[in-house]
Amino acid sequence: MDNLTLNVTFSLVLESFAIPPEGVYPAFIFGMLSYCIILICNLAILLTVALEKHLHEPMYLLLINLPINDLIGATAFLPQLMKEILLDTRTISYPACVTQAFFIHIYGGGSSLILTAMAYDRYVAICCPLRYNAIMTNTYVKKIITLIWITDLILMVVLFSLLLRLPRCQSMISGTYCDNPSLLRLVCADITINNIYGLFMTALMQLVSVGTITYTYLQILLTCLKNKHSDAKSKAIQTCATHLVVFLMLEVSGLFTILSYRFERASPFLRKMFGASTLIFPPIMNPIIYGLKTKEIRSKIISYFDHKIVPF
C-alpha cells in the first residue's frame, strides 16, 4: 500500500540546465522565440497543403505529416522547459512526466518513419519517373501514412505499458525532459524485459529507416550521375544532400542521447544538449528545407500573405 501511495503522489525533479540568474530571461526568450518559429513555420506548411486542393498529391500528403510530428515533439518539450526556466521550478508530476515522455518518443519514432517514407517517395520519383503516378497513388500513400502512425503508436504504447507496471523508488530525472530511459532509472525492480524491448525497438527502427534511406539515396545518386541533364542532376543531388543532413542530424542526436544512458561515463551536459537539440533544431529546419524551399508551397504562402495580410 505504501509503495502504491508513493507511486501515485510524489513529484519528480528534473536536473535540467544550470542557468545563472542573469541568464534566465535570455534563455526564456530563446525558448519562446524557438517555439514561436516552430509553430508559425510548421502551421504555415500544414495549413497551406491542407487548404490547397491541387497540393493533395502523394509528395505533399507525406510532407504534412512532418510538421504534425514536429509540433508534437516541440509542444511536448518547450512549454515545460520554459516553465522551468521562468518559474525556477524543476518539479513535474509523474503523470505529466509519463505523458511528456510518451509524446517525445512518438515524435522520435515518427521522425524516422516519416523521413523513410519521404525518401521512398523521392526514390520512385527520380528512379522510376514513368511509373511514379501508377505506384504512388493517393490511396497507396494514405495506407503508408496510416501504417506509419499505427506502427509508431503501437510501439510506444507497448514501451510505456511495460514501464508503468513497475514500482518506483526514486524521484530524480537525469535530463531536461522525461523519457523512457530516465523513467526506468527511477524503478526499483527488474527491468530486463524493458531493456530487451527498448533495444529491439531501437534496432528495428534503425534497421528500417537507415537501411531504406541508405538504399534509396544510393540509387538516387547513381541515377543522378547517369543523368545527362546537368540542371536536373544538380537539383536532385542538392535536394538529397539537404534531406540527408537533416536525417543525419536527427540520427546522431537521437542515438547519442539513447546510448548515453547506457554508459555511466557519458557527459550529462552533452546528453542534455543533444537531447534538447533533437527537439528544437529539426522542427525549425524541417519546414524550411522540406516546405519553404519547395516552389509550390513557397509561392502559395507568399501569395496568401500578399492577398490576406497586405490586401492593398
Side-chain angles (χ1 to χ4, degrees), residues 122-123 125-127 216-217 219-227 229-244:
R122 291 299 83 206
Y123 161 73
I126 295 173
C127 298
T216 54
Y217 277 86
Q219 293 299 313
I220 289 171
L221 180 61
L222 291 173
T223 302
C224 290
L225 292 176
K226 293 177 183 178
N227 195 326
H229 301 285
S230 59
D231 291 340
K233 182 193 300 185
S234 60
K235 184 179 180 180
I237 292 176
Q238 183 182 9
T239 301
C240 292
T242 53
H243 291 192
L244 283 174

Side-chain angles (χ1 to χ4, degrees), residues 1 8 41-43 52-53 96 100-101 140 142 154 181 204 210 216 226 229 252 273 307:
M1 183 67 181
V8 173
C41 292
N42 283 284
L43 284 174
E52 294 295 331
K53 291 185 178 180
Q100 182 187 52
Y140 181 58
K142 288 174 183 177
I154 290 174
L204 178 65
V210 175
T216 54
K226 293 177 183 178
H229 301 285
V252 170
M273 288 297 297
H307 290 88

Side-chain angles (χ1 to χ4, degrees), residues 124-189:
V124 177
I126 295 173
C127 298
C128 312
L130 299 179
R131 298 176 56 203
Y132 180 80
N133 291 330
I135 297 173
M136 300 299 291
T137 63
N138 283 4
T139 301
Y140 181 58
V141 169
K142 288 174 183 177
K143 289 180 181 179
I144 292 175
I145 293 169
T146 303
L147 181 63
I148 286 171
W149 288 109
I150 289 178
T151 301
D152 194 20
L153 186 62
I154 290 174
L155 289 173
M156 301 314 160
V157 166
V158 174
L159 182 71
F160 283 89
S161 296
L162 291 173
L163 169 70
L164 292 173
R165 68 190 173 89
L166 300 171
R168 294 173 287 110
C169 54
Q170 297 186 56
S171 61
M172 179 63 74
I173 296 290
S174 57
T176 56
Y177 56 82
C178 301
D179 57 11
N180 182 64
S182 62
L183 285 168
L184 281 177
R185 289 190 168 193
L186 309 180
V187 170
C188 47

Side-chain angles (χ1 to χ4, degrees), residues 97-117:
C97 188
V98 171
T99 302
Q100 182 187 52
F102 178 77
F103 284 109
I104 285 175
H105 280 267
I106 285 286
Y107 161 77
S111 295
S112 295
L113 293 174
I114 293 166
L115 290 174
T116 301

